[in-house]
Each structure stands twice: as structure tokens, then as C-alpha cells.
Amino acid sequence: MPNMEKSNNTNKRHIRNDIILVALLLLFVIVGGIYLFFFRATGDAVKVTIDGKLYATYSLSENREANIYTGNNQQLNRLIIKDGKAFIETATCPDKICAEHRAIFRDGESIVCLPNRVVVTVIKSDKTDAPDAVT
Amino acid sequence: MNNKIKTITFTGIFTALAIILAYVELLIPPLFPSLPGIKMGLPNIIIVFLLYRKNVTSAILVSLIRIALVTMLFSNAMAFLYSLAGAVLSLLIMILLRKLNFLSVVGVSIAGAVAHNIGQILMAMLLLDSSELGFYLIALIFSGIIAGIFVGLCGALLINKFPSKFH
């Protein structure tokens, strides 16, 4: 049964390649995860944008609570800064995904509220070209 | 003429199957509510099956019609863009890997699932104008591997039940 043998070999080769594929992907996940968790500097401020436009910048070094409003004074999200970390406490959007997001503090981390178009991003203030922090 | 009817019927049946699987997936509560992209990708069972037992055209047709209909029925325009980006990238990768023939069904499905998630992230970067989705990318690649294995095993089971191609 030479034919059977061949298909068996092909199967084995395929499964070996599958395992290589999964191993490569896992390697990427592990290396990327380690890099993001341990080697990224912590930021010192958060930048809030609504619909891509800069709304405010808050320093992470002091505790504060900030309400984020749209132009017509409708409250969107409530941002809390505590112990150098920022998180969203409450939101008016239907899915509340942003309010469940863990606190952010590393440079570049962000919390996104898609329905309200609000993005909160951690920055290092020495590299921002934005005007002075609104404090 | 007869052939045309056959194609329409065939595509219709498999699109219906894919839509039902997408609906079943909606009934399962999300594992991680803060990471909305993480899901099983059950409709991909049908796409993988079609790639191995019918042809590339039917896989593309069913995938795109399925996404258009599912987003119209259960979702919104934003979700349509994400799904479309994911599906197009995933289809391209799976068609290519199927042709190259060096992975098993499970391998093709894993690559497709991961490609689907990467496509969604690329669309999110485009829409949100934010390149800082690194954590999300890593979480989605990992979930893609798991989902891809499950979907691939289901697909392989189905493929083995139908020993020959449909014509």
C-alpha cells in the first residue's frame, strides 16, 4: 500500500508544520507580551481626545477626578487618576467596555470608548508637542 | 442554466449555515467583556469546509454574503468594517495556505483565525488613528490560536465525513 504510506507521511508533515506555526505564533505572543509588560516605560500624563481632537491632558502624578464632556455639556466618561494610574469609572455609552478596562500607566497604553469616540492615552510629557497640561 | 441554479442553491445553503453559526456565537456570553474581539469564529468552520470540499469562489462568496447579512441583522456599520477587514485578510491567507498545501486543516484554520484578528486590529488602527493597540494585538493573536484549533478540528471532522468534493 504505497499510496496509503505516502498520505500518512503527508499527514505527519502537515501536523509537524502545524506545530511549527503554532510555536512561532506563541513565541511572538510571549516575546511581545514580555516586551510590553516589562520593558515599556511608565508615562507621566494622560491625553484625552474626543473624535481625534485633543480634549485635555492630565498629569498622572496627582490624584484627580475629571468628567469628560462634549461641546454641548453632555457628560460622557468619568476619568479617575489615582496612585499614578488612570481609569474610567463610569461611562454613558451602552457597552461600558471602557469602564471595565484595567487602570493604565505605561507609555502608550490607552482606553478606548468607541461609542463616545473618547480615547485616553498615557504619554510621556517630554515628548509631547501639545500645549501645556490643563491642570 | 442547471449549473447556475446549483451554484445559487449551494451558496444559499452554506451561507444560511454560516449565519446560524454566527448567531449561535452571539448567544454565548463573551469570555472577556473588555476585549470585544475575542470569539470562537464558528462560521469559519463553513469557510474551511468549502475551501477543502468545494472551491475558492464559493468560500469567498459565502464569507462575504454572510458578513453583509449578519451585520445587517444583528450589528452595525462599525462592526461591518471590522468583520470585513478580518474576513478579507483571513480568506487571502487561508486560500494561499490551502494552495501551498503544507499545513493540515487545523493549521490553515489557525492561520485564518489569527489573520482575521490581525485584520480587525489593522482596521481599528485605521479608524481610531491610534497605533497603540499592541496589547490588544497580542491578546487577539493568542485567542486566535485557541479559536483556530477548535474551529479547525470541527472543520476537519466535517471534511472527513465527506470524502469527496462537491461538484
Side-chain angles (χ1 to χ4, degrees):
Chain A
M1 305 250 287
N3 214 0
M4 189 72 167
E5 201 128 281
K6 188 172 170 241
S7 104
N8 251 341
N9 276 340
T10 316
N11 270 341
K12 269 188 194 152
R13 189 167 56 87
H14 282 176
I15 289 168
R16 196 197 63 206
N17 289 337
D18 285 358
I19 293 170
I20 293 173
L21 173 76
V22 171
L24 286 177
L25 287 170
L26 281 178
L27 189 74
F28 179 82
V29 167
I30 291 166
V31 170
I34 288 174
Y35 170 74
L36 288 179
F37 268 108
F38 296 108
F39 292 101
R40 210 150 66 158
T42 52
D44 47 24
V46 286
K47 183 179 76 176
V48 180
T49 61
I50 301 177
D51 232 343
K53 287 191 281 288
L54 183 68
Y55 173 79
T57 314
Y58 303 108
S59 168
L60 278 177
S61 53
E62 51 192 294
N63 293 351
R64 69 152 63 234
E65 297 176 3
N67 292 321
I68 299 166
Y69 296 97
T70 45
N72 52 12
N73 266 1
Q74 192 191 356
Q75 185 177 342
L76 293 177
N77 304 63
R78 185 167 171 78
L79 177 76
I80 309 281
I81 296 174
K82 205 176 161 222
D83 304 329
K85 297 180 180 189
F87 60 96
I88 287 178
E89 189 191 48
T90 52
T92 54
C93 55
D95 57 14
K96 306 270 190 285
I97 284 166
C98 54
E100 286 181 28
H101 200 289
R102 70 198 154 70
I104 56 172
F105 60 98
R106 289 191 179 83
D107 187 22
E109 275 187 295
S110 59
I111 300 177
V112 177
C113 177
L114 265 185
N116 287 351
R117 313 277 294 160
V118 171
V119 181
V120 180
T121 313
V122 179
I123 54 171
K124 281 188 93 66
S125 51
D126 53 10
K127 70 172 191 190
T128 51
D129 45 13
D132 284 339
V134 184
T135 43
Chain B
M1 189 58 199
N2 200 9
N3 236 338
K4 220 173 181 174
I5 294 170
K6 236 172 132 178
T7 309
I8 293 171
T9 317
F10 191 91
T11 310
I13 290 171
F14 279 85
T15 307
L17 264 173
I19 291 173
I20 286 297
L21 287 177
Y23 178 67
V24 167
E25 192 169 75
L26 284 176
L27 297 179
I28 305 169
L31 218 53
F32 304 99
S34 55
L35 296 171
I38 291 182
K39 50 186 174 185
M40 301 291 292
L42 295 179
N44 206 33
I45 296 172
I46 303 300
I47 308 303
V48 170
F49 178 76
L50 290 175
L51 275 180
Y52 277 83
R53 284 292 175 262
K54 183 74 180 168
N55 53 33
V56 169
T57 321
S58 69
I60 295 174
L61 269 177
V62 168
S63 176
L64 296 184
I65 298 172
R66 191 278 290 181
I67 282 169
L69 288 177
V70 165
T71 42
M72 265 186 243
L73 285 170
F74 311 119
S75 198
N76 54 46
M78 208 68 161
F80 174 70
L81 289 177
Y82 285 117
S83 295
L84 192 66
V88 169
L89 195 62
S90 156
L91 273 172
L92 286 176
I93 296 285
M94 289 199 297
I95 291 166
L96 186 75
L97 289 175
R98 164 85 176 100
K99 287 264 187 281
L100 290 175
N101 192 31
F102 66 90
L103 291 174
S104 77
V105 178
V106 179
V108 169
S109 157
I110 293 168
V114 172
H116 184 274
N117 288 351
I118 292 174
Q120 287 193 321
I121 286 283
L122 290 178
M123 185 51 95
M125 282 178 174
L126 206 73
L127 289 178
L128 297 172
D129 202 19
S130 153
S131 52
E132 292 297 345
L133 292 159
F135 274 107
Y136 207 28
L137 178 68
I138 283 171
L140 281 183
I141 290 178
F142 187 70
S143 84
I145 298 171
I146 308 292
I149 291 173
F150 178 76
V151 165
L153 288 174
C154 292
L157 211 68
L158 208 57
I159 288 164
N160 288 337
K161 295 268 182 218
F162 293 83
S164 64
K165 279 200 162 201
F166 289 94
H167 291 293

